[in-house]
Amino acid sequence: LTEVLVFAAAVALIALLGSFQGVHRLDDLLCMLRSYAAQHDLLHMWHTCAVQDVAVMFVIMLAAVVSHICGRVNQGGEMSAWAVAHETAHSLVVAILMLGLIFLLYVLRILIVTVDVFCYQSVSNPNILEATQSWNILQALLRKASTAMELGLLALLAMAAFAVPAFIVDQANLGTFSNTFNRQIPNVLIICGVLRVFVVAAAVTDKCMRVPSLVNSLSFGAGTDRDRQHLVEYIAHSAAGFYICDVRLTLGMLTKFIYVWAVILFGFVGRELTGN
């Protein structure tokens, strides 16, 4: 069942991002982000972070595919034509899903960099008017990116939420916990890659939440205390960040999500081990 869930997530992600409306939104978003990055000399930094993300996701993909093949071989018997076709299809699905995750990380990385650039510019050249204009552009980019990617992330969120129930169902079908765990290692690696995307998305919001305290500590010149306070309140009340269906994603929210499902999973595993 977990493999079916991974397949459904890959199909949903590609369908949502690859639809006509999705492609149009993403094309407009990438044009805006590249223009912003070129204007602030961020292309090299953006591409460096993207290469690192590609390397990490490739390692996860390779580990998932190899562990799935090893699990098939450890079951004994020769690799039939059906088994080869199954492994090929599984590898293709994992590759498609990882390509979707890499693209999402590619967009999310520049969003993090833009927040860092705003903070750097505010510290190196404190100017209330320029800071206000830069923040308006920044939060517009964040909302544009959230709108373009929220459906794809929603599909991945559903996959992560149903992963634990799928694991429990697979354990009931396979019988022994050790056999279930060995079969689930590739899926666990894939889910780790999905959670990595959400961690990066939540980091965008957390960086935005720290900006008001940074701006409040800056000096914009004599007689600007009131204007600085207005800027701090404006940034705080703008509630900039990464949104999924108008819900601002934070690391605290993501941590609670992981904690709840981890408690359920470990409770089930402990009961199984005690019963055995």
Side-chain angles (χ1 to χ4, degrees):
L1 182 59
T2 311
E3 290 186 2
V4 175
L5 186 64
V6 172
F7 174 77
V11 172
L13 181 61
I14 298 302
L16 292 172
L17 297 181
S19 63
F20 177 78
Q21 185 177 7
V23 170
H24 180 70
R25 287 182 176 180
L26 292 174
D27 184 59
D28 290 343
L29 173 63
L30 288 176
C31 290
M32 293 175 60
L33 292 176
R34 286 169 182 162
S35 176
Y36 184 89
Q39 182 180 358
H40 294 83
D41 296 327
L42 302 176
L43 290 175
H44 178 71
M45 185 184 301
W46 186 9
H47 293 162
T48 301
C49 295
V51 169
Q52 295 174 355
D53 289 328
V54 170
V56 172
M57 300 307 287
F58 178 79
V59 170
I60 293 176
M61 180 189 70
L62 186 62
V65 172
V66 171
S67 60
H68 193 273
I69 295 175
C70 291
R72 171 75 67 174
V73 173
N74 292 334
Q75 289 180 359
E78 297 181 357
M79 291 287 288
S80 62
W82 168 254
V84 173
H86 180 267
E87 294 300 327
T88 303
H90 178 268
S91 301
L92 182 61
V93 169
V94 173
I96 292 174
L97 182 60
M98 288 301 167
L99 286 175
L101 298 181
I102 289 172
F103 174 78
L104 295 175
L105 286 171
Y106 177 73
V107 177
L108 291 171
R109 283 300 179 186
I110 188 59
L111 299 181
I112 291 180
V113 173
T114 55
V115 180
D116 292 337
V117 168
F118 173 82
C119 296
Y120 173 78
Q121 290 178 343
S122 298
V123 173
S124 60
N125 184 27
N127 186 288
I128 293 180
L129 182 59
E130 291 183 0
T132 304
Q133 294 175 348
S134 299
W135 186 255
N136 288 335
I137 296 174
L138 175 58
Q139 64 175 329
L141 287 175
L142 294 177
R143 295 296 292 185
K144 179 75 173 179
S146 300
T147 303
M149 298 192 301
E150 62 181 1
L151 293 180
L153 288 173
L154 192 61
L156 295 176
L157 182 62
M159 170 193 169
F162 287 109
V164 174
F167 176 84
I168 296 175
V169 172
D170 287 341
Q171 199 282 330
N173 293 332
L174 296 175
T176 60
F177 173 76
S178 59
N179 189 25
T180 305
F181 181 76
N182 292 332
R183 294 282 297 273
Q184 295 299 330
I185 291 177
N187 300 321
V188 170
L189 293 172
I190 294 172
I191 293 173
C192 289
V194 172
L195 291 178
R196 187 169 184 268
V197 174
F198 283 96
V199 169
V200 176
V204 176
T205 302
D206 280 47
K207 283 182 174 290
C208 292
M209 294 173 63
R210 297 188 180 97
V211 172
S213 59
L214 173 66
V215 175
N216 192 48
S217 66
L218 300 178
S219 175
F220 293 92
T224 60
D225 291 343
R226 183 164 183 163
D227 293 335
R228 181 188 62 188
Q229 186 62 32
H230 288 165
L231 177 60
V232 171
E233 293 178 355
Y234 172 70
I235 294 176
H237 293 161
S238 65
F242 194 88
Y243 284 76
I244 299 179
C245 297
D246 292 330
V247 177
R248 189 162 65 157
L249 182 65
T250 63
L251 285 175
M253 183 185 302
L254 184 61
T255 302
K256 292 177 182 178
F257 174 83
I258 297 174
Y259 176 77
V260 170
W261 284 113
V263 168
I264 296 174
L265 179 61
F266 282 112
F268 174 78
V269 171
R271 190 186 67 176
E272 291 295 321
L273 293 178
T274 302
N276 294 331

